[in-house]
Amino acid sequence: MKNSSLMKAGRSREETRLVFETLMQIIPGVAIVGVVGEATVADLGAEPLLADGASEAYTYLQALVADQLRDRRLVSTFTCEIDGVEWGVVSVPVSVVDERVEGVLCLARQGRIWSKRERSLVRTFAGLLGHVTKQVNRETALLHQRRLDELVAQVAERLMSARVGNRQETLDWVVQVLGEFLGADTAFLRRHDHARGFSILEAEWPVRENVPDPDPLGEVAFDADPIFAAMKDLRGPYMAGVDDLDADYLKRVEMGSGIPEVAGAVVPLLLDDLTWGILGFIHFGLHQWAPAEINALQAVASMLVQLQGRFDAEARTVYNATHDDLTGLPNRRALIRELTERIESGRETAVMVIDLDRFKVMNDFLGHASGDRLLVTIADRLRTSVRAHDFAGRLGGDEFVVLADAVSNEFDLMASAYRLLGVIGEPTAVGGQRLFHTASIGVAAVGSGTPSALDVIGWADVAMYAAKARGGHQVVVFDDELRQSTSTRSNLELQLRDAIENGDLRLHFQPEVDLRTGRLLAVESLVRWQHPTRGVVDANDFIKVAEETGLIVDIGRWVFAEACRQLAAWERAYPDLGFVVRVNMSPAEFVMGDIVEFVEGCLTSNRVEGGRICIEITEHVVLTESERTAGILRRFQALGVEVALDDFGTGFASMTELKNLPVDFLKLDMSFVRGVTTDAYDRAIVESIIRLAAALHLGVIAEGVESIAILDKLVELGCTRGQGYLMSRAVPSEELALLLARGGVDAALLRVDSSRLADFPS
């Protein structure tokens, strides 16, 4: 294409030269033949044809005719004196565009008047040159348009493959390619920050050296000068020459680049009704822009806006993936990534896990909307309270994390953590009330080595739970003692998983009897772990770990299924005994959507009637989604299964919740039962619960019956069902054979007449 352009230019020069020579031959005395005009006419390419000694006169006449063209007052024939010599000049238009003469064929000779015939000849040959000019201009325009189309296509291809990660590289490339193609001295892309009222430099070519600090062209207020004010809401192309530009603008450009005079063109980047930014090109002096060039720039500007829209969408996707919807803080994914980068780079970092104390109680009392407002308030306080290089995020729920940067010792860590406790503890207006909320903070330093981000967060989490265990509203640092307990706990978790998979769990059963007669009424199923080295491990030693790790669901389901299987075996061996098997069910099991179907499946597969099973729940289950829990319990009762509220009096279930809760029994916690004979408060609590149960037509079962005195007092107060070491510890099923054969416990244990055992089923 370039060779084709050169060939066409060569032909136009030859044709023009031939016209010049012909005119000089056929018109006597002609000393000067040339074309004077703008670049489009100058593309004819031929040098003026001059007689000896006429060069200075041509220079003078060229300037004179150029002035006439610029002022639009072309004189067709005139005479002038140059260095004492009179010259006759004839000027005939060669190219006329929009009624404006762009170029003329100019002939001159000394002292001769131009005849009509001579002027006619000049007009004829000017027409020939005009035809050549039009052809050259047309071909040049087509060629330039083709090159512009290729440029736009090249830019479009590059922008299609651009991503957020190489955004700056892409913008720099676009500005450079456009600037070089258009022959600009400098090119730039600026973004408008309408919220702040600034125009911000995004990319420039060539990159300036020795840029002042601050950069006068880096961020410029829209009201800094009229040019930037015009750029703020620019809706169409803007072109200006040196004489059109504001003095303040030129001064700012000179300060930033060292160039005193500039002119150029700007096209806006339009995003809906907003001017997102501008794409500009500067020439150090005057430059005439072709409409095709402006059109191409507008096309590129449109593509840049589309690219930015895609970048914005990608940025929103990344933001949503790494930030919490409610608070806007970075989420767990962003936290782990940030902490991992800090650990790998060797930065001194400490992790603070922050958990709000008793948030769930407040959330249930005031409602989730109020709870959300409190979380947003706490998040805002953390965001504005951490230092510049710290990092605040939300793990989920009411748990936040702060990565403290460059903390050199434990004293500074504690000071920073307690400062955050103070920020969190400031009163908050929620639901028309002023709330004072506390938190527990666990702190762990990365220290030496390269632990994983999850390890360090886990350490801080352990310390946070230690702070809660000590009453909350305090800070605990993860130390060697906590590290040892964590190691022990981790080993216990691994061994417990193996025990579940290997079938090392066992069920023991504790009898529940009629405290007046000793007759067997029920047995409670209690899980035990047959440890390979420690022997039988009581549930108290591993249930907490099971609850924290989620293993409690697997254990609970195994217990229920095994209890149903054992009950079926007992029914075959002791068909006349109608005792009930009680099974504890954890809060985590109630979260499972198929819990009722699971229970029904166990009853069906073992051919056990629902009335022979009682599910025991704690008050914590009641407090967690009470309406949903009540619905599940009603479905249990529809299967004939009884429901008992275990450890009653130790939780926070209200009388309203109890009244509406579908339960059959209340179980007195052993902490009250053991003091019923020695502590007036315990006795009053026990008596109140027994009376409450009677009023609600509920049965009462006492746990922890360990002496005759306790038994007698319970019977006196109206509680006739109980279990405890006085009757029997929890034992394996095979050790219950004698008790099952007798239908109850030894009468002597209860100080009852042995003849009354005759009423027991045999």
Side-chain angles (χ1 to χ4, degrees):
M1 185 179 297
K2 185 175 181 181
N3 291 336
S4 175
S5 176
L6 291 174
M7 291 174 61
K8 292 175 182 178
R11 286 199 300 271
S12 67
R13 282 197 296 269
E14 292 174 1
E15 294 170 351
T16 304
R17 185 73 178 181
L18 180 60
V19 168
F20 288 178
E21 291 175 349
T22 301
L23 286 170
M24 189 167 278
Q25 291 174 2
I26 65 176
I27 300 177
V30 174
I32 297 173
V33 182
V35 173
V36 179
E38 298 185 359
T40 54
V41 178
D43 284 339
L44 291 171
E47 295 293 329
L49 192 60
L50 307 176
D52 292 340
S55 59
E56 291 185 7
Y58 173 73
T59 301
Y60 178 85
L61 290 174
Q62 183 184 34
L64 183 62
V65 173
D67 288 341
Q68 292 178 359
L69 284 175
R70 186 165 49 250
D71 298 338
R72 298 193 179 187
R73 52 178 180 81
L74 181 66
V75 180
S76 60
T77 59
F78 63 92
T79 60
C80 63
E81 185 175 310
I82 304 173
D83 294 333
V85 178
E86 185 177 18
W87 287 80
V89 183
V90 60
S91 299
V92 179
V94 171
S95 175
V96 180
V97 178
D98 296 332
E99 299 183 356
R100 184 170 67 88
V101 177
E102 287 191 334
V104 297
L105 175 61
C106 182
L107 284 76
R109 61 189 176 185
Q110 295 182 7
R112 298 284 296 271
I113 299 175
W114 295 91
S115 68
K116 182 176 180 180
R117 174 182 170 277
E118 290 172 333
R119 292 197 301 270
S120 177
L121 282 173
V122 174
R123 283 194 296 271
T124 299
F125 280 93
L128 290 175
L129 289 179
H131 175 72
V132 174
T133 299
K134 289 180 181 179
Q135 185 176 0
V136 170
N137 289 346
R138 184 182 303 111
E139 292 177 352
T140 301
L142 289 174
L143 179 61
H144 192 50
Q145 182 64 59
R146 189 178 304 167
R147 293 181 62 217
L148 284 170
D149 292 342
E150 292 175 351
L151 173 68
V152 172
Q154 181 186 11
V155 172
E157 183 178 0
R158 178 63 180 265
L159 296 185
M160 285 291 291
S161 62
R163 293 292 180 268
V164 173
N166 63 356
R167 175 182 182 275
Q168 190 60 52
E169 176 187 346
T170 300
L171 297 182
D172 290 341
W173 179 87
V174 170
V175 170
Q176 178 178 351
V177 167
L178 293 176
E180 289 176 339
F181 181 91
L182 296 170
D185 291 295
T186 183
F188 58 85
L189 175 67
R190 302 190 70 90
R191 172 176 59 86
H192 288 354
D193 186 341
H194 289 277
R196 296 172 54 225
F198 279 86
S199 174
I200 301 169
L201 183 64
E202 289 280 315
E204 64 176 341
W205 174 85
V207 178
R208 291 167 294 149
E209 298 179 357
N210 303 318
V211 178
D213 186 15
D215 183 2
L217 300 177
E219 287 194 0
V220 182
F222 291 132
D223 59 2
D225 59 54
I227 298 298
F228 277 99
M231 298 300 103
K232 176 182 177 183
D233 298 310
L234 187 67
R235 305 299 295 176
Y238 176 88
M239 288 166 283
V242 174
D243 297 334
D244 303 324
L245 296 175
D246 176 75
D248 290 339
Y249 172 78
L250 291 173
K251 182 178 180 181
R252 179 172 292 101
V253 172
E254 183 176 4
M255 289 173 58
S257 63
I259 306 301
E261 291 186 341
V262 296
V266 173
V267 292
L269 278 64
L270 302 176
L271 183 62
D272 298 326
D273 295 331
L274 185 72
T275 302
W276 183 89
I278 54 174
L279 180 62
F281 302 87
I282 299 295
H283 291 83
F284 302 157
L286 290 175
H287 175 79
Q288 183 171 350
W289 291 87
E293 293 174 335
I294 298 301
N295 292 338
L297 292 179
Q298 288 180 297
V300 171
S302 178
M303 289 188 292
L304 286 172
V305 170
Q306 295 176 26
L307 174 69
Q308 188 59 44
R310 197 173 82 236
F311 284 165
D312 290 343
E314 290 182 21
R316 283 194 298 272
T317 300
V318 172
Y319 181 89
N320 292 336
T322 57
H323 286 75
D324 175 53
D325 289 339
L326 177 64
T327 64
L329 287 177
N331 60 16
R332 180 182 180 87
R333 176 183 300 176
L335 166 70
I336 292 174
R337 183 178 62 193
E338 174 72 17
L339 182 54
T340 299
E341 291 175 356
R342 293 186 180 210
I343 293 173
E344 292 176 351
S345 64
R347 289 172 62 181
E348 290 184 351
T349 300
V351 177
M352 300 182 186
V353 173
I354 305 168
D355 191 272
L356 303 183
D357 296 331
R358 292 181 57 77
F359 174 77
K360 187 181 185 311
V361 176
M362 187 282 299
N363 201 34
D364 291 341
F365 179 71
L366 293 178
H368 292 290
S370 296
D372 287 348
R373 283 195 294 273
L374 176 62
L375 291 176
V376 170
T377 299
I378 298 298
D380 289 341
R381 290 178 182 176
L382 291 177
R383 184 186 292 109
T384 56
S385 298
V386 297
R387 299 170 303 172
H389 298 292
D390 291 346
F391 182 95
R394 183 188 180 202
L395 277 180
D398 60 337
E399 202 166 48
F400 299 89
V401 172
V402 170
L403 304 184
D405 190 60
V407 179
S408 58
N409 55 65
E410 185 174 320
F411 177 81
D412 290 341
L413 269 178
M414 295 291 284
S416 297
Y418 273 105
R419 181 177 59 83
L420 292 179
L421 277 186
V423 169
I424 294 170
E426 294 175 0
T428 304
V430 176
Q433 303 183 49
R434 281 170 58 85
L435 300 179
F436 294 85
H437 216 87
T438 62
S440 299
I441 300 182
V443 181
V446 172
S448 59
T450 55
S452 71
L454 291 177
D455 284 341
V456 184
I457 293 173
W459 298 341
D461 205 47
V462 169
M464 182 272 292
Y465 277 109
K468 280 193 173 296
R470 299 174 190 179
H473 190 44
Q474 59 183 288
V475 178
V476 171
V477 176
F478 186 78
D479 55 17
D480 290 339
E481 182 179 348
L482 284 176
R483 189 184 302 275
Q484 180 59 42
S485 67
T486 301
S487 176
T488 302
R489 177 190 175 283
S490 298
N491 290 334
L492 183 63
E493 178 187 345
L494 293 175
Q495 293 175 4
L496 185 55
R497 290 184 185 275
D498 291 340
I500 295 172
E501 293 178 2
N502 299 334
D504 292 335
L505 298 182
R506 302 287 185 269
L507 274 191
H508 286 196
F509 302 90
Q510 185 173 36
E512 172 197 321
V513 302
D514 187 323
L515 299 180
R516 298 165 300 180
T517 65
R519 183 167 62 93
L520 180 65
L521 301 176
V523 293
E524 181 178 2
S525 308
L526 299 170
V527 67
R528 299 290 185 264
W529 176 6
Q530 187 66 47
H531 195 277
T533 59
R534 297 168 57 186
V536 177
V537 179
D538 191 81
N540 292 332
D541 294 336
F542 63 84
I543 284 296
K544 184 177 180 181
V545 172
E547 290 175 339
E548 293 174 354
T549 58
L551 294 175
I552 191 65
V553 174
D554 294 334
I555 294 174
R557 294 207 164 188
W558 178 86
V559 168
F560 192 89
E562 180 64 15
C564 289
R565 186 201 64 78
Q566 183 60 60
L567 176 58
W570 280 331
E571 282 186 329
R572 292 190 295 270
Y574 307 98
D576 296 329
L577 290 182
F579 65 92
V580 172
V581 174
R582 305 195 188 279
V583 183
N584 293 282
M585 194 166 283
S586 69
E589 292 176 80
F590 273 74
V591 176
M592 309 304 292
D594 63 341
I595 182 63
V596 178
E597 289 74 16
F598 171 76
V599 168
E600 184 176 13
C602 289
L603 296 176
T604 302
S605 62
N606 290 285
R607 298 181 181 180
V608 172
E609 295 182 2
R612 297 293 302 277
I613 294 289
C614 176
I615 292 176
E616 297 189 1
I617 62 173
T618 63
E619 290 183 69
H620 181 71
V621 177
V622 178
L623 292 172
T624 305
E625 299 186 26
S626 56
E627 292 185 5
R628 180 177 179 275
T629 301
I632 294 174
L633 297 182
R634 291 189 185 93
R635 294 177 65 190
F636 284 159
Q637 290 183 331
L639 298 174
V641 175
E642 295 179 338
V643 178
L645 194 56
D646 199 10
D647 301 332
F648 186 74
T650 60
F652 303 95
S654 68
M655 294 302 104
T656 300
E657 290 169 330
L658 180 60
K659 182 181 70 173
N660 297 326
L661 198 65
V663 298
D664 303 287
F665 292 93
L666 301 180
K667 294 194 74 172
L668 291 168
D669 186 70
M670 64 177 65
S671 63
F672 303 134
V673 172
R674 287 172 177 168
V676 72
T677 60
T678 58
D679 189 294
Y681 292 104
D682 287 342
R683 183 165 56 252
I685 291 172
V686 169
E687 186 173 6
S688 298
I689 293 174
I690 293 172
R691 290 179 178 177
L692 174 64
L696 297 176
H697 305 291
L698 303 176
V700 180
I701 305 167
E703 296 180 306
V705 181
E706 299 177 356
S707 69
I708 296 296
I710 291 175
L711 184 150
D712 290 341
K713 178 56 69 174
L714 289 171
V715 173
E716 176 187 332
L717 295 175
C719 176
T720 60
R721 307 174 70 113
Q723 63 190 81
Y725 290 172
L726 177 63
M727 286 75 77
S728 173
R729 295 175 177 270
V731 295
S733 58
E734 57 270 19
E735 295 184 23
L736 279 180
L738 179 60
L739 186 147
L740 293 174
R742 298 185 58 181
V745 299
D746 189 342
L749 292 175
L750 307 181
R751 292 185 180 174
V752 298
D753 185 351
S754 60
S755 63
R756 296 170 62 181
L757 289 176
D759 297 331
F760 294 4
S762 59

